């Protein structure tokens, strides 16, 4: 017995175990900041999720799915999407895009938008392929491209401060057309578009999307269009779907998320809409990895979309009410940040807002030549010393560009009034302490 034990102790592995594709992608901002927020924060405006409940009709649909007579709700359903969900998604997006969609071949359900993205990169990116990513970007695009063997090529949105001294808007962050065009080459397999954009809240205009579309067509490039915040658009702005532009349907994967659409991020129901020519390859990745998504959650999301289709454009529609509610929260947070001198960049969409921390720099002095960007140290200091959690903007840039804009943090405003008020109280108190001798 003792001899056996000592042999097994000696038999520890010495060869490298980690696959090469994991090299350099082991760090994850969310793991780090979610832990910090859980340990220190009293007010968490960091990670992007609502602290208010999903609408009653959706919760009730989930409860009905689980407690009803149909015990098949507890079993596997169709691998590429529960039939009622793909049917209603085909109807809904067919109406939005103005074309007939086949539920079985033009829609695939995934475990959140995350898995939809993963399927896209695995299905289309080969060793040596380049994928254009617009900075700042939702951080998982970069490691996912690398894991597939591809090379991310970054192109930044460049800010231009308004001349009239007004607050900046996310619309003031724009692509330089010549710079964007210079990133396309024979090696470019795809571009990732995220409109409305996390973290800035930028809603790409029709003109900006046409610029991207023209380059995609010219260079025969795919477009992975992450539209998870499609309903969260403010001030009467229009969310334009790039798949609806000339020449784009055939090359676009349009990605959505019930997490953002119905304020239920924990359910992890996502989807991809696109041509069968592309989706057939996404099905290959899906059937050989995840295979199947939770049935009852899909059933409930299908019910939610059925309701929304009936109420489309009407005042009772959740897709009308949610942006109305969030616009008020945005305006409230903009006003309270501006009042303390943490200059907000007004987002046109999403439930995020980026703010300039320059006026608070004296409390968290810079460390020259530090590897860590200033905003990251600032966000850590703020959660530990003030109890307020936010995410540094540098997390949404590639390694080489992390120090380009390191004086901003991102706040999530999909929060109850009391949470936003508590955040504002912290900032006001901090401001008072700063200004008193
Ligand atoms: N894309 C973007 C831009 C996001 O912000 C998020 C979630 N934060 C996702 C995709 C992932 O969505 P899901 O929770 O549905 O996986």
């Amino acid at each position: 017995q003792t001899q056996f034990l000592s042999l097994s102790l000696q038999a520890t592995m010495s060869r490298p175990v980690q696959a090469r594709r994991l090299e350099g992608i082991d760090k994850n901002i969310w793991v780090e900041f979610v832990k910090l927020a859980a340990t220190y924060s009293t007010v968490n405006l960091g990670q992007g999720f609502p602290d208010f409940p999903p609408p009653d009709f959706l919760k009730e649909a989930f409860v009905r799915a689980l407690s009803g007579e149909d015990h098949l709700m507890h079993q596997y359903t169709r691998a590429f999407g529960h039939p009622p969900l793909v049917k209603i998604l085909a109807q809904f997006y067919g109406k939005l895009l103005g074309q007939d969609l086949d539920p079985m071949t033009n829609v695939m359900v995934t475990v959140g938008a995350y898995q939809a993205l993963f399927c896209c990169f695995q299905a289309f990116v080969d060793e040596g392929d380049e994928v254009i990513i617009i900075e700042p970007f939702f951080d998982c695009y970069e490691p996912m491209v690398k894991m597939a063997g591809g090379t991310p090529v970054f192109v930044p949105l460049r800010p231009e401060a308004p001349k009239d001294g007004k607050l900046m808007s996310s619309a003031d962050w724009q692509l330089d057309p010549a710079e964007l065009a210079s990133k396309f080459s024979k090696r470019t397999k795809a571009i990732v578009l995220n409109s409305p954009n996390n973290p800035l809240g930028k809603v790409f205009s029709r003109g900006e999307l046409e610029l991207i579309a023209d380059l995609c067509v010219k260079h025969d490039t795919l477009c992975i269009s992450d539209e998870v915040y499609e309903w969260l658009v403010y001030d009467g702005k229009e969310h334009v779907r790039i798949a609806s532009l000339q020449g784009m349907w055939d090359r676009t994967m349009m990605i959505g998320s019930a997490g953002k659409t119905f304020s239920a991020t924990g359910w992890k129901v996502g989807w991809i809409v696109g041509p069968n020519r592309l989706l057939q390859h996404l099905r290959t990745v899906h059937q050989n990895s995840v295979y199947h998504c939770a049935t009852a959650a899909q059933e409930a999301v299908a019910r939610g979309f059925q309701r929304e289709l009936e109420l489309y454009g009407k005042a009772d529609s959740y897709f009308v009410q949610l942006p109305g509610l969030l616009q008020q929260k945005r305006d409230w947070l903009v006003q309270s940040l501006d009042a303390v001198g943490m200059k907000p960049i007004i987002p046109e969409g999403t439930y995020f807002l980026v703010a300039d921390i320059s006026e608070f720099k004296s409390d968290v002095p810079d460390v020259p030549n530090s590897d860590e960007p200033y905003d990251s140290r600032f966000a850590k200091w703020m959660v530990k010393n003030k109890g307020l959690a936010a995410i540094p903007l540098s997390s949404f840039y590639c390694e080489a560009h992390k120090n380009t804009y390191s004086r901003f943090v991102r706040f999530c405003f999909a929060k109850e009034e009391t949470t936003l008020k508590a955040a504002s109280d912290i900032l006001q108190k901090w401001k008072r302490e700063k200004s008193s001798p």
Side-chain angles (χ1 to χ4, degrees):
Q1 172 100 29
T2 330
Q3 193 190 6
F4 176 74
L5 196 65
S6 66
L7 262 178
S8 69
L9 281 176
Q10 277 164 21
T12 51
M13 289 188 75
S14 57
R15 64 195 259 183
V17 288
Q18 166 208 30
R20 270 197 309 279
R21 76 179 78 86
L22 301 191
E23 277 165 21
I25 61 164
D26 49 340
K27 276 211 206 112
N28 181 297
I29 158 82
W30 304 110
V31 174
E32 189 181 10
F33 274 88
V34 166
K35 191 164 164 213
L36 278 171
T39 316
Y40 298 103
S41 81
T42 43
V43 182
N44 186 358
L45 303 191
Q47 205 185 2
F49 64 89
D51 71 349
F52 47 82
D56 285 345
F57 66 83
L58 195 80
K59 286 195 291 183
E60 283 157 15
F62 206 164
V63 171
R64 263 203 311 281
L66 288 173
S67 59
E69 294 288 293
D70 187 356
H71 61 84
L72 287 178
M73 285 297 136
H74 301 277
Q75 308 306 330
Y76 294 133
T77 180
R78 179 173 165 270
F80 307 122
H82 187 48
L85 181 55
V86 288
K87 278 184 198 153
I88 192 71
L89 287 172
Q91 244 181 300
F92 203 98
Y93 284 100
K95 181 181 163 99
L96 296 176
L97 293 169
Q99 68 184 85
D100 281 343
L101 297 181
D102 174 10
M104 300 300 150
T105 58
N106 294 137
V107 183
M108 185 174 91
V109 175
T110 54
V111 181
Y114 238 94
Q115 194 225 335
L117 289 161
F118 188 76
C119 285
C120 289
F121 296 119
Q122 288 296 316
F124 300 117
V125 177
D126 264 326
E127 208 75 37
D129 284 345
E130 291 184 356
V131 177
I132 298 175
I133 297 176
I134 300 168
E135 285 180 313
F137 58 93
F138 181 50
D139 64 301
C140 73
Y141 303 154
E142 182 182 5
M144 283 194 191
V145 169
K146 287 182 174 163
M147 245 193 287
T151 307
V153 172
F154 300 97
V155 60
L157 286 165
R158 297 193 179 277
E160 194 170 328
K163 293 186 181 61
D164 50 13
K166 276 204 217 140
L167 286 176
M168 203 184 237
S169 145
S170 56
D172 295 320
W173 292 61
Q174 303 230 347
L175 288 166
D176 172 341
E179 188 176 22
L180 176 66
S182 76
K183 303 291 175 182
F184 280 81
S185 74
K186 277 206 292 290
R187 291 183 300 279
T188 311
K189 188 65 184 283
I191 180 166
V192 188
L193 170 71
N194 174 214
S195 180
N197 160 278
N198 175 9
L200 281 174
K202 179 181 171 67
V203 177
F204 285 67
S205 69
R206 188 175 284 275
E208 289 173 308
L209 293 176
E210 278 168 357
L211 174 76
I212 296 171
D214 287 350
L215 287 165
C216 285
V217 172
K218 182 171 169 204
H219 295 275
D220 201 16
T221 302
L222 295 169
C223 178
I224 300 169
S225 184
D226 179 342
E227 302 183 27
V228 298
Y229 300 104
E230 60 192 319
W231 301 107
L232 306 184
V233 175
Y234 311 124
D235 306 320
K237 279 247 149 65
E238 183 196 13
H239 169 62
V240 178
R241 294 177 171 77
I242 197 164
S244 70
L245 300 187
Q246 184 83 34
M248 289 307 286
W249 164 254
D250 197 42
R251 59 183 72 250
T252 302
M253 274 80 55
M254 190 166 87
I255 295 176
S257 161
K260 315 293 171 180
T261 300
F262 289 114
S263 311
T265 57
W267 292 18
K268 292 296 290 187
V269 175
W271 53 85
I272 309 174
V273 174
N276 185 40
R277 166 182 104 80
L278 303 181
L279 260 75
Q280 63 179 326
H281 304 299
L282 301 178
R283 292 196 289 271
T284 307
V285 178
H286 184 74
Q287 79 201 5
N288 291 305
S289 51
V290 166
Y291 190 75
H292 174 275
C293 314
T295 307
Q298 292 192 64
E299 171 74 14
V301 173
R303 300 277 169 169
F305 267 101
Q306 274 152 10
R307 177 189 185 274
E308 288 304 306
L309 188 60
E310 281 158 28
L311 293 175
Y312 186 71
K314 303 217 172 93
D316 282 348
S317 156
Y318 191 66
F319 298 170
V320 171
Q321 287 183 344
L322 182 64
L325 175 76
L326 286 170
Q327 184 168 324
Q328 285 172 20
K329 292 182 186 293
R330 176 199 68 167
D331 292 346
W332 198 88
L333 188 61
V334 161
Q335 191 269 323
S336 28
L337 287 168
D338 192 28
V340 295
M342 207 177 258
K343 287 259 169 300
I345 299 168
I346 302 170
E348 305 154 274
T350 75
Y351 46 49
F352 301 113
L353 183 164
V354 169
D356 189 331
I357 53 180
S358 301
E359 281 198 29
F360 288 74
K361 265 185 146 173
S362 54
D363 280 351
V364 191
D366 219 341
V367 179
N369 306 322
S370 159
D371 279 346
E372 188 172 12
Y374 177 76
D375 59 352
S376 174
R377 275 185 296 109
F378 183 93
K380 286 181 187 168
W381 184 92
M382 186 165 76
V383 71
K384 287 182 187 164
N385 293 277
K386 302 289 173 188
L388 178 59
I391 305 291
L393 186 65
S394 58
S395 320
F396 302 91
Y397 283 84
C398 73
E399 201 54 45
H401 302 159
K402 276 201 186 309
N403 281 308
T404 325
Y405 302 108
S406 59
R407 55 167 215 279
F408 295 100
V409 294
R410 189 200 76 174
F411 294 106
C412 171
F413 57 84
K415 305 291 173 189
E416 297 277 16
E417 230 172 88
T418 46
T419 317
L420 294 174
K421 172 88 174 51
S424 168
D425 289 348
I426 290 176
L427 290 169
Q428 275 174 20
K429 183 162 177 277
W430 186 3
K431 173 82 176 171
R432 277 198 303 276
E433 286 162 3
K434 269 167 61 60
S435 33
S436 54

